[in-house]
Amino acid sequence: SLTFFVGVFWLPESPRWLIQHGKVALGESILTKIGGNDFAQKTIHDVEKSLENVQQESFKLLLKAD
C-alpha cells in the first residue's frame, strides 16, 4: 500500500480534471492522442455538458427548502 501511495504522486491529471480546471487545450491534446480529433471534440462536449449539469444541480440544492 505504501508503494501505491507514493506512486499516486506521479499519476497525470485526467482530461476531465484538466477541462474542469480550465486547461481545455491540454485535455484536448491528451484526448486526441487517445482517440483522434472527433473523439476529443465529442468527449470535451460531453464533459462540459456534464459539468454544467453538476453546477445546476448544486445550485438547485442550495435553493431547495426542506
Side-chain angles (χ1 to χ4, degrees):
S1 67
L2 179 61
T3 305
F4 177 77
F5 179 74
V6 171
V8 166
F9 294 108
W10 284 275
L11 287 174
E13 293 87 1
S14 72
R16 178 183 174 83
W17 186 92
L18 292 167
I19 294 166
Q20 183 177 8
H21 289 87
K23 300 178 181 182
V24 178
L26 185 54
E28 180 178 5
S29 171
I30 293 168
L31 291 168
T32 301
K33 289 178 186 176
I34 294 171
N37 192 48
D38 291 339
F39 171 76
Q41 295 305 315
K42 182 183 182 318
T43 304
I44 290 169
H45 174 75
D46 291 347
V47 168
E48 288 174 339
K49 190 171 183 177
S50 156
L51 292 172
E52 182 180 300
N53 289 338
V54 168
Q55 290 171 351
Q56 288 176 354
E57 290 300 319
S58 297
F59 187 69
K60 285 179 185 177
L61 288 175
L62 290 174
L63 298 177
K64 184 178 177 183
D66 287 331

